[in-house]
Amino acid sequence: MAVDSTLSSPLGPPVCDKDAKALRFIEEMTRNADAVQERVLAEILSRNAETEYLKRFKLDGATDRETFKTKIPVITYDDVQPEIQRIANGDRSPILSAHPISEFLTSSGTSAGERKLMPTIKEELDRRQLLYSLLMPVMNLYVPGLDKGKGLYFLFVKSETRTPSGLLARPVLTSYYKSEHFKTRPYDPYNVYTSPNEAILCPDSFQSMYTQMLCGLIERNQVLRLGAVFASGLLRAIRFLQLNWVELAHDIRTGTLNSKITDQKLKNHMKHFIKPDPELASFVIQECSNENWEGIITRIWPNTKYLDVIVTGAMAQYIPTLNYYSGGLPLACTMYASSECYFGLNLNPMCKPSEVSYTIMPNMAYFEFLPHESGSTRIVDLADVEVGKEYELVITTYAGLYRYRVGDILRVTGFHNSAPQFHFVRRKNVLLSIDSDKTDESELQRAVENASKLLVKFNTSVVEYTSYADTETIPGHYVIYWELLTKTDSANSSNSPSHEVLNKCCLEMEESLNSVYRQCRVGDHSIGPLEIRVVKSGTFEELMDYAISRGASINQYKVPRCVNFTPIMELLDSRVVSVHFSQDLPHWTPERRR
Ligand code: AMP
């Protein structure tokens, strides 16, 4: 098809007119970043002028940046939580947004142990859809021929609940996959998935994964790209294949569907799709029964050009394992988004993971940047950030979050036109993360305190602890190092805590962690049982000696609550006296505790 030459783009030659339009949109937005931001803020403030929140700060209908910045405070979730709770409880007056709140998106960030509830409005779906529609036009600039095959994407819906007033509360991707935007998306040759909607939308995670894998195996030669949202999700799929290839191969050989697939819509769909294919079944058995799974992805899906998964931020820990299974296929991080708002995309998606930068699209929300640890507190606009500096992202959304601190730290790497590009540095205050869980220092501290109560009757206390996220195994799990002190009791000198008691401490810690952790453990099985490694008395003093020998100040030394430096972990592991695991699952239900 000839591409309309008037639509060609500085980003590169588009492959079709649709792509040309998308690339031109990116150019328009990024060339006029500041003007677009000014317009976005004015739109948000004028439509929401009569909301209780903006009236409270006496904005009096002003829509300019200066008045906005003088009168509206920069806030965190806890500041706006009372308003959010009122909406959740049924107050339909315009509290935050003039447009009705259509549902709540449950963030993987937590407050008081529960997922944060992010208000959203119907039209935000269009904005998210718009950002999605830009991804393939950019990818097509770098990878030719993606219309000649399919994408094997492992996509899932998660459980949803309702607030006391009946508003839905669910993760943003569940909301998107269940929307008409996704379910009735028009055919696009560059965006064809092997997974049928029936599998993606099946609420049972086993049935969903099983059929997505089965379809991916059946169409293995057509698969040009493999993906999941986060790296941990793709590794979970590989693990699933390791555990279930015998049954999958059986279905392929016989053309029948495993009896564990009971979802009627799924069964109906698969009935027309699955046919006996003994040759493919033998191939799957031959590859999967091989002890060596190095490069398994390219062996089973030989035409894969890249893996489409986020490996920036906390997910960087999975890069070596992905490289192992894929024989070093390119890893594409295409977008940066959250429940609060979708932010932007990577205009150079085939770059190395360490070089990924996201260009924030100025039409998505109004963005401000709080300098991070540079001594300056002057918050700046999108167009005014400086290359090399780190900032915390602050957003004002169409759905009614005003000057809200997202908690992400970003470093400016450069500009595309007048729009800055950001390296995702890290999320603030996250100590441990395996999947979408984020455990901070105070949550870990509370979990250790709660678990150590089980030791009181043994005259034992936890004198020091540290932790790390072990991602060598799939799924990964939390490891907590404990140094214990048992006061000797002359009457009963052998009263130290038993193996069983320490196993219970593992479970007690899990019970104390936030609901996202517990959902990953119980609902998604994406985190393995928590492990406590008891180390010899004096180990943490050795740790301090080691840090001081490397230049730490003795006066300022604090025990790191999370470690990932190999020599330190080797030191800790060489002092382990006993190892304990959670023997049970912690409690978790989709319902919120408060
Ligand atoms: P949630 O609110 O659960 O949707 O999580 C959103 C958060 O996930 C963001 O604020 C980031 O901390 C993280 N995140 C999203 N996209 C990326 C990305 N491309 N790279 C690194 N972290 C990301």
Side-chain angles (χ1 to χ4, degrees):
M1 180 175 43
V3 179
D4 179 351
S5 58
T6 58
L7 290 177
S8 97
S9 157
L11 284 164
V15 295
C16 60
D17 286 350
K18 193 163 155 246
D19 282 13
K21 283 194 188 114
L23 298 178
R24 205 167 63 156
F25 178 76
I26 295 173
E27 282 302 295
E28 259 172 44
M29 290 296 120
T30 55
R31 278 211 189 112
N32 305 307
D34 198 47
V36 174
Q37 282 283 274
E38 190 164 10
R39 172 176 62 73
V40 165
L41 181 66
E43 259 173 38
I44 294 174
L45 296 183
S46 59
R47 66 151 72 167
N48 293 324
E50 295 303 314
T51 57
E52 183 186 316
Y53 193 83
L54 291 184
K55 278 166 68 181
R56 183 186 311 157
F57 293 104
K58 309 218 171 348
L59 208 57
D60 294 336
T63 62
D64 63 291
R65 296 190 218 203
E66 217 175 283
T67 316
F68 174 68
K69 289 184 187 214
T70 328
K71 298 200 168 176
I72 306 294
V74 174
I75 57 160
T76 62
Y77 183 80
D78 289 345
D79 296 314
V80 76
Q81 205 263 341
E83 282 77 13
I84 288 178
Q85 201 55 55
R86 276 171 56 205
I87 300 170
N89 290 344
D91 191 334
R92 292 285 172 269
S93 63
I95 299 175
L96 295 172
S97 165
H99 289 218
I101 301 300
S102 51
E103 60 182 304
F104 282 108
L105 303 176
T106 52
S107 165
S108 58
T110 54
S111 163
E114 291 295 333
R115 286 173 178 271
K116 292 175 185 168
L117 292 176
M118 298 301 170
T120 193
I121 54 177
K122 272 223 165 70
E123 66 170 48
E124 276 296 292
L125 265 172
D126 301 332
R127 234 167 252 118
R128 283 180 217 126
Q129 179 67 43
L130 177 65
L131 195 69
Y132 282 127
S133 75
L134 306 178
L135 303 182
M136 284 315 284
V138 172
M139 190 53 90
N140 289 337
L141 294 173
Y142 295 89
V143 186
L146 291 174
D147 57 337
K148 306 289 185 294
K150 300 188 178 185
L152 166 50
Y153 281 79
F154 296 96
L155 306 176
F156 301 93
V157 294
K158 291 198 183 185
S159 56
E160 45 190 44
T161 54
R162 288 192 182 269
T163 68
S165 69
L167 275 175
L168 271 175
R170 54 188 177 178
V172 61
L173 289 174
T174 300
S175 164
Y176 177 66
Y177 300 144
K178 288 190 166 181
S179 73
E180 292 308 314
H181 287 71
F182 181 80
K183 286 195 294 193
T184 56
R185 60 197 182 277
Y187 175 78
D188 172 356
Y190 291 94
N191 233 342
V192 184
Y193 297 147
T194 53
S195 296
N197 283 1
E198 290 80 357
I200 295 171
L201 295 170
C202 175
D204 181 283
S205 62
F206 176 88
Q207 297 185 47
S208 174
M209 176 76 97
Y210 190 94
T211 36
Q212 294 196 52
M213 185 61 82
L214 190 56
C215 294
L217 290 171
I218 292 171
E219 300 197 300
R220 62 181 275 269
N221 286 315
Q222 291 184 58
V223 171
L224 301 182
R225 51 201 172 109
L226 238 88
V229 179
F230 289 114
S232 52
L234 188 54
L235 289 173
R236 229 172 85 218
I238 300 299
R239 179 76 189 141
F240 186 90
L241 183 60
Q242 271 174 343
L243 296 174
N244 294 281
W245 59 265
V246 174
E247 285 171 295
L248 288 158
H250 173 269
D251 289 3
I252 295 171
R253 180 178 303 286
T254 56
T256 56
L257 192 60
N258 193 317
S259 60
K260 288 183 198 151
I261 309 302
T262 54
D263 183 291
Q264 203 51 49
K265 282 190 194 146
L266 248 187
K267 281 170 72 170
N268 290 345
H269 176 88
M270 293 303 288
K271 199 165 62 194
H272 303 292
F273 185 71
I274 185 164
K275 310 253 170 346
D277 188 343
E279 203 182 321
L280 175 61
S282 303
F283 171 80
V284 170
I285 292 169
Q286 174 201 312
E287 290 300 336
C288 295
S289 59
N290 188 336
E291 289 273 287
N292 180 7
W293 273 50
E294 187 168 1
I296 190 82
I297 290 179
T298 35
R299 280 188 272 141
I300 296 190
W301 295 282
N303 300 316
T304 314
K305 298 177 188 231
Y306 65 94
L307 303 183
D308 190 345
V309 277
I310 292 177
V311 288
T312 41
M315 291 293 149
Q317 60 191 339
Y318 294 108
I319 293 173
T321 321
L322 283 174
N323 285 339
Y324 175 81
Y325 287 126
S326 75
L329 278 176
L331 300 168
C333 299
T334 57
M335 70 188 283
Y336 170 41
S338 77
S339 316
E340 291 89 330
C341 166
Y342 280 20
F343 306 125
L345 74 170
N346 180 359
L347 295 180
N348 184 14
M350 297 305 274
C351 70
K352 283 198 268 175
S354 57
E355 287 166 10
V356 171
S357 287
Y358 298 102
T359 305
I360 288 190
M361 290 300 285
N363 59 307
M364 300 302 290
Y366 179 64
F367 300 101
E368 294 175 89
F369 297 84
L370 198 57
H372 182 64
E373 287 175 357
S374 69
S376 164
T377 52
R378 203 177 72 85
I379 193 161
V380 295
D381 279 322
L382 182 68
D384 299 330
V385 294
E386 290 176 50
V387 173
K389 291 210 169 138
E390 290 189 2
Y391 298 90
E392 183 183 341
L393 181 62
V394 176
I395 55 169
T396 296
T397 66
Y398 283 89
L401 294 173
Y402 304 93
R403 311 196 85 193
Y404 175 93
R405 295 171 72 158
V406 174
D408 288 349
I409 307 295
L410 311 175
R411 183 170 57 247
V412 186
T413 54
F415 281 80
H416 179 75
N417 297 322
S418 61
Q421 303 187 295
F422 296 93
H423 172 71
F424 182 93
V425 179
R426 62 187 172 85
R427 183 149 177 122
K428 261 183 13 185
N429 304 332
V430 174
L431 207 60
L432 290 167
S433 174
I434 296 285
D435 189 28
S436 55
D437 55 305
K438 300 171 175 63
T439 296
D440 70 21
E441 199 164 324
S442 62
E443 288 170 320
L444 182 66
Q445 167 80 22
R446 200 185 47 235
V448 170
E449 277 168 16
N450 287 347
S452 60
K453 284 180 194 151
L454 300 181
L455 304 177
V456 172
K457 63 177 171 212
F458 303 97
N459 271 335
T460 300
S461 56
V462 179
V463 284
E464 275 306 353
Y465 68 93
T466 189
S467 65
Y468 93 99
D470 183 349
T471 52
E472 298 266 293
T473 55
I474 306 174
H477 70 290
Y478 288 11
V479 175
I480 321 293
Y481 293 94
W482 272 10
E483 185 171 321
L484 300 178
L485 177 70
T486 304
K487 289 203 189 101
T488 40
D489 170 352
S490 51
N492 187 1
S493 58
S494 62
N495 190 28
S496 56
S498 63
H499 183 55
E500 284 65 38
V501 170
L502 286 157
N503 285 347
K504 282 205 181 106
C505 289
C506 297
L507 183 60
E508 189 57 32
M509 281 197 70
E510 296 197 298
E511 293 286 11
S512 308
L513 292 171
N514 67 48
S515 74
V516 178
Y517 174 90
R518 286 179 283 112
Q519 180 171 7
C520 286
R521 272 285 278 136
V522 180
D524 306 342
H525 309 291
S526 56
I527 302 183
L530 183 143
E531 177 181 359
I532 290 177
R533 295 183 191 164
V534 177
V535 293
K536 245 173 39 188
S537 146
T539 301
F540 278 82
E541 216 169 307
E542 284 188 70
L543 209 67
M544 180 171 80
D545 292 343
Y546 179 80
I548 289 164
S549 74
R550 288 177 52 90
S553 147
I554 196 158
N555 293 323
Q556 290 171 328
Y557 178 79
K558 292 180 202 71
V559 175
R561 291 306 178 207
C562 182
V563 292
N564 53 16
F565 183 51
T566 311
I568 293 200
M569 283 157 61
E570 281 172 2
L571 190 154
L572 286 164
D573 281 329
S574 68
R575 305 293 187 272
V576 169
V577 289
S578 62
V579 171
H580 313 273
F581 283 96
S582 215
Q583 301 295 314
D584 223 328
L585 289 171
H587 290 93
W588 174 79
T589 59
E591 280 70 42
R592 303 166 67 81
R593 282 182 179 172
R594 62 177 187 100

